[in-house]
Amino acid sequence: MSQVHSNLHRNAWSDWWEGTRRTDIWWTLAWFDIVLRYRRSMLGPIWLTLSMGLMIGGMGPLYSSLFGTELSKFFPHLALGIIFWAFFSSVVTDACNAFVGSSNYLKQGYFPISLFVWRSLARNLIQFAHQIVLYIPVAFWAGISLSWTMLLILPAFALLIINAHALGLLLGLVCTRYRDVTQIVTSVMQMLMFLTPVFWLPESLPGRARYVLWNPLAQMLDLLRTPLMGGVAHIHSWLGILVWTAICLTAATVLFSKYRRRVVYWL
């Protein structure tokens, strides 16, 4: 195998960049994943929007009554919480199988492994795009007035993509070597759903229980949801996510540099 195409002769940076720059490949693979999932369906990916809309529409009035909160205040909070949490959960669980699910490609020829992490992330971004549109009618109904603070979602979303890709490399490598970790991650995500303010309001917590807001997913949700509701996220959420990003990038870089060549042998 020539040096140009061999993973063994590339350093970690070159291998990562080779997979990252091939947007034509991983976007196409991601789109085909969606198309194949809804093959022979009349509505296709529109089912993603409809199913999420039914969930939000059914849970909004119910949980608003249970928590004794005004629906116009609670409904946008719940809608964004469910939409973003669905994205978080799907990104994390799919990252565990990024390489295992692409074993047919990796076993047949040289592909930079970062390409398949981008493929998994792109697939989830396509699904997210079908679901976030549901917030538009909710925002109009609730009378949310957006201001310049909405632009804060751009750096927040950039941090989300950086963390998602770093976590994808990290979990992809670990779960390919140790398959039981996938089940552990799935169980942890189910638990974190109830420790993250998806269905409840953070201000309803008593003072001694506010430690649950140190959860990185709760901080990321705050950064993404608050600007879309016309507010500004807490500074501790920015600081917490920046620290978490540094940890994720460091761990992903170390594992990727050391173990990327072993992925094919672990499949």
Side-chain angles (χ1 to χ4, degrees), residues 7-24:
N7 188 28
L8 298 176
H9 294 88
R10 290 183 182 274
N11 59 39
W13 167 255
S14 297
D15 189 50
W16 175 84
W17 176 245
E18 180 65 23
T20 300
R21 73 180 186 86
R22 295 308 305 268
T23 55
D24 55 331

Side-chain angles (χ1 to χ4, degrees), residues 148-163:
W148 66 268
T149 58
M150 182 184 176
L151 297 177
L152 291 174
I153 196 174
L154 298 178
F157 204 81
L159 284 172
L160 173 62
I161 298 301
I162 293 171
N163 277 277

Side-chain angles (χ1 to χ4, degrees), residues 57-122:
M59 295 179 66
L62 174 62
Y63 275 71
S64 176
S65 300
L66 289 175
F67 293 135
T69 307
E70 185 181 351
L71 184 59
S72 60
K73 176 183 177 182
F74 183 75
F75 207 19
H77 175 90
L78 178 69
L80 288 174
I82 293 177
I83 292 169
F84 280 120
W85 182 262
F87 181 63
F88 295 166
S89 180
S90 184
V91 164
V92 172
T93 53
D94 280 5
C96 295
N97 296 305
F99 304 139
V100 176
S102 303
S103 59
N104 55 330
Y105 295 103
L106 289 167
K107 288 180 179 179
Q108 293 179 25
Y110 163 66
F111 290 94
I113 66 171
S114 63
L115 184 148
F116 298 102
V117 176
W118 285 117
R119 171 197 185 184
S120 175
L121 181 55

Side-chain angles (χ1 to χ4, degrees), residues 234-263:
H234 295 289
I235 186 63
H236 70 74
S237 295
W238 286 103
L239 295 176
I241 288 301
L242 289 175
V243 171
W244 176 256
T245 302
I247 294 173
C248 275
L249 286 175
T250 302
T253 300
V254 171
L255 287 184
F256 181 72
S257 300
K258 190 172 183 179
Y259 297 111
R260 72 186 189 281
R261 297 187 179 103
R262 303 186 187 181
V263 169

Side-chain angles (χ1 to χ4, degrees), residues 22-252:
R22 295 308 305 268
T23 55
D24 55 331
I25 296 178
W26 47 263
W27 267 114
T28 301
L29 290 175
W31 179 250
F32 282 156
D33 288 340
I34 299 295
V35 170
L36 291 175
R37 181 178 300 179
Y38 294 95
R39 183 175 53 182
R40 298 192 179 185
S41 170
M42 292 181 63
L43 298 180
I46 301 300
W47 280 114
L48 293 167
T49 308
L50 292 177
S51 59
M52 181 64 72
L54 289 173
M55 178 184 295
I56 294 171
M59 295 179 66
L62 174 62
Y63 275 71
S64 176
S65 300
L66 289 175
F67 293 135
T69 307
E70 185 181 351
L71 184 59
S72 60
K73 176 183 177 182
F74 183 75
F75 207 19
H77 175 90
L78 178 69
L80 288 174
I82 293 177
I83 292 169
F84 280 120
W85 182 262
F87 181 63
F88 295 166
S89 180
S90 184
V91 164
V92 172
T93 53
D94 280 5
C96 295
N97 296 305
F99 304 139
V100 176
S102 303
S103 59
N104 55 330
Y105 295 103
L106 289 167
K107 288 180 179 179
Q108 293 179 25
Y110 163 66
F111 290 94
I113 66 171
S114 63
L115 184 148
F116 298 102
V117 176
W118 285 117
R119 171 197 185 184
S120 175
L121 181 55
R123 180 172 62 243
N124 285 290
L125 284 171
I126 293 172
Q127 295 176 354
F128 174 74
H130 281 83
Q131 295 169 343
I132 193 60
V133 295
L134 291 168
Y135 182 64
I136 298 175
V138 172
F140 274 113
W141 175 83
I144 293 177
S145 57
L146 301 179
S147 63
W148 66 268
T149 58
M150 182 184 176
L151 297 177
L152 291 174
I153 196 174
L154 298 178
F157 204 81
L159 284 172
L160 173 62
I161 298 301
I162 293 171
N163 277 277
H165 184 65
L167 202 60
L169 288 173
L170 183 62
L171 289 176
L173 289 167
V174 173
C175 294
T176 301
R177 178 63 180 86
Y178 304 102
R179 304 297 172 92
D180 291 336
V181 176
T182 302
Q183 305 304 320
I184 297 173
V185 171
T186 302
S187 299
V188 169
M189 289 300 294
Q190 291 174 350
M191 177 189 67
L192 288 177
M193 180 175 64
F194 299 102
L195 297 179
T196 304
V198 176
F199 307 111
W200 44 271
L201 297 170
E203 52 266 28
S204 64
L205 286 175
R208 62 184 179 181
R210 289 189 174 273
Y211 70 90
V212 300
L213 298 179
W214 298 349
N215 164 15
L217 292 174
Q219 294 173 335
M220 180 60 75
L221 185 57
D222 182 36
L223 298 184
L224 293 168
R225 177 166 57 189
T226 306
L228 292 178
M229 295 181 64
V232 178
H234 295 289
I235 186 63
H236 70 74
S237 295
W238 286 103
L239 295 176
I241 288 301
L242 289 175
V243 171
W244 176 256
T245 302
I247 294 173
C248 275
L249 286 175
T250 302

